[in-house]
Amino acid sequence: DTLWDLAIAEVEKRENPDDDNAKPGEVWEKSLLFMGNKNGGKTTIILRCLEREESSKPTLALEYTFGRRARRHNTPKDVAHFWELGGGTSLVELIRIPITSHNIRSFAVVLVLDLSKPDELWTTMESLLQVTRNHVNKILTKLEKTNPEVAAEIKQRMWNDMQRDHPDYALVDPFPLPLVIIGSKYDIFHEFDSEMRKIISKTLRFVSHYYGASLVFTSKSEALLLKARALINHLAFGYDKSKSVSVDPSKPLFIPAGLDSMSQIGPPPASDSDLGKMCASTPLELWKKVFEKTFPPKSFCNLQDTKDPAQDMQYAEYEVDVMRAQKNQELEQYKRNASKSWKEMDFDSD
């Protein structure tokens, strides 16, 4: 290799540190799954990331779109696949569709939590992350038998943002996929009582740090959307990772993965006497109990409740709806006839 070849290779390596094995001119493909509260702003964030001037609509089940970007002039465009899970926690089992053993090496998760609904926050977060983690762990278990090198690579990558000399290295449990947590509707959240804001902010800082995730608060403000977009573009297109940090609870949080610490976050926001009364087997469980004491969660049934898409006028199709109505009538008639036949049956008492 000439000196110029070595220089070009070094520049490409610095610009794209996460893809050392990529060849020049090779098209990269990344996949991101957006999930979180219903009406939490997931679609709006995706559209802004893809620079599309479209009005957002409610997401039905699992929706897909994609974006393409060129890393440099006259190079093939990389592709990012954007999946969005609708329905809050009601359709969480659908995450098995986009996350597979074929794309897990290039997959990332974006969890969008509605800051204006703290009573739904922990339940939504816990349910979505738990199901996703269980599914990913099943894939990794299979890969350990069929392709152990890939499984080992993914497990090692979980620790990429946490240096071995970090004081919290033994205290965290990184999520198996790159994770970004976005607190949406900051404009509403900013009107909350300062103590409420402090509890929510500290809790999300702890959860993000514990899972090795990046954390950003956003709203419809262009400046805040740009910060969220920077984190997402890093995952989707390999853009440089921001190293700026904002931990002031009176301002929108912005903390890239690995740049926070337990000492800076501090203990759970509760008195020593209250903490002493709480039985918890892990730090995560303790933070959950402290958070839910201030913000009692909505019942899981309420979070599961979702509108029947078949009744939504947004998806009306005349021919299909007429046939469905006819089949519903036939079904009801069948039920009545079956019920009548059952009642008329003569059972032998013997």
Side-chain angles (χ1 to χ4, degrees):
D1 290 341
T2 67
L3 182 61
W4 285 113
D5 291 331
L6 294 172
I8 291 171
E10 180 63 24
V11 169
E12 287 181 344
K13 184 176 180 180
R14 289 182 182 179
E15 289 181 347
N16 308 288
D18 293 337
D19 293 88
D20 294 338
N21 298 323
K23 298 176 182 178
E26 184 180 355
V27 174
W28 300 341
E29 289 193 41
K30 304 286 185 179
S31 298
L32 279 75
L33 172 63
F34 286 74
M35 55 188 185
N37 295 89
K38 285 192 295 184
N39 304 314
K42 299 182 293 296
T43 306
T44 300
I45 293 170
I46 292 173
L47 291 175
R48 291 299 299 120
C49 286
L50 297 177
E51 299 179 359
R52 293 181 186 169
E53 298 297 330
E54 302 174 20
S55 56
S56 60
K57 297 178 181 179
T59 301
L60 176 66
L62 185 67
E63 296 193 1
Y64 167 82
T65 189
F66 69 94
R68 301 174 73 224
R69 300 272 172 84
R71 272 169 279 167
R72 289 173 292 281
H73 185 59
N74 289 333
T75 60
K77 290 186 176 181
D78 298 326
V79 180
H81 306 280
F82 288 74
W83 296 87
E84 182 184 355
L85 179 68
T89 58
S90 62
L91 303 171
V92 68
E93 293 301 325
L94 291 179
I95 61 100
R96 293 177 294 180
I97 295 174
I99 307 177
T100 69
S101 58
H102 300 291
N103 65 11
I104 193 169
R105 293 175 70 185
S106 59
F107 215 99
V109 173
V110 180
L111 176 65
V112 181
L113 299 174
D114 188 339
L115 296 175
S116 70
K117 299 176 180 178
D119 55 347
E120 297 181 13
L121 193 150
W122 193 284
T123 308
T124 298
M125 173 183 67
E126 184 177 54
S127 174
L128 292 172
L129 291 184
Q130 190 173 56
V131 173
T132 304
R133 182 167 221 160
N134 290 343
H135 175 62
V136 172
N137 286 341
K138 288 179 182 178
I139 293 177
L140 290 177
T141 300
K142 291 181 180 179
L143 284 176
E144 285 174 348
K145 299 176 182 177
T146 60
N147 199 336
E149 291 183 0
V150 171
E153 175 194 325
I154 293 171
K155 289 185 176 182
Q156 178 57 43
R157 191 183 62 186
M158 291 163 53
W159 295 92
N160 280 358
D161 292 314
M162 183 69 70
Q163 302 299 321
R164 282 192 173 275
D165 59 353
H166 194 290
D168 302 331
Y169 191 84
L171 303 175
V172 298
D173 184 18
F175 200 70
L177 297 178
L179 174 64
V180 171
I181 297 178
I182 297 179
S184 65
K185 302 187 181 179
Y186 177 79
D187 49 337
I188 300 175
F189 170 78
H190 188 60
E191 301 300 320
F192 285 6
D193 173 77
S194 61
E195 194 59 32
M196 291 173 63
R197 292 202 312 270
K198 182 180 177 182
I199 294 172
I200 296 171
S201 296
K202 284 191 69 171
T203 300
L204 286 180
R205 280 184 65 185
F206 170 81
V207 170
S208 299
H209 185 57
Y210 183 79
Y211 284 131
S214 297
L215 175 65
V216 59
F217 285 1
T218 190
S219 68
K220 293 182 179 180
S221 159
E222 190 65 26
L224 294 185
L225 280 171
L226 282 174
K227 288 193 171 185
R229 190 173 152 195
L231 290 175
I232 294 169
N233 280 337
H234 169 68
L235 297 177
F237 300 106
Y239 286 17
D240 288 342
K241 184 178 178 181
S242 175
K243 293 184 179 178
S244 65
V245 178
S246 175
V247 296
D248 186 344
S250 65
K251 298 178 181 178
L253 297 182
F254 182 82
I255 313 171
L259 299 184
D260 210 343
S261 68
M262 299 294 188
S263 60
Q264 293 181 54
I265 296 169
S271 66
D272 292 340
S273 59
D274 285 341
L275 290 175
K277 297 174 184 176
M278 295 179 181
C279 297
S281 57
T282 65
L284 188 67
E285 187 180 348
L286 180 61
W287 278 82
K288 175 184 178 179
K289 290 190 173 185
V290 170
F291 184 82
E292 292 188 340
K293 183 180 180 184
T294 305
F295 304 105
K298 276 190 175 182
S299 69
F300 191 68
C301 292
N302 289 340
L303 293 176
Q304 288 277 61
D305 184 34
T306 185
K307 183 180 178 181
D308 182 1
Q311 307 300 323
D312 193 330
M313 292 307 296
Q314 178 185 181
Y315 308 107
E317 294 185 56
Y318 179 74
E319 292 83 0
V320 175
D321 294 340
V322 168
M323 182 57 68
R324 181 187 175 93
Q326 179 183 330
K327 292 300 180 183
N328 283 341
Q329 288 180 351
E330 292 175 2
L331 177 61
E332 290 302 318
Q333 184 63 45
Y334 173 80
K335 287 179 179 178
R336 286 194 293 270
N337 291 340
S339 176
K340 185 177 179 181
S341 300
W342 178 263
K343 291 177 181 178
E344 293 175 348
M345 291 180 70
D346 184 18
F347 291 97
D348 191 341
S349 58
D350 294 335

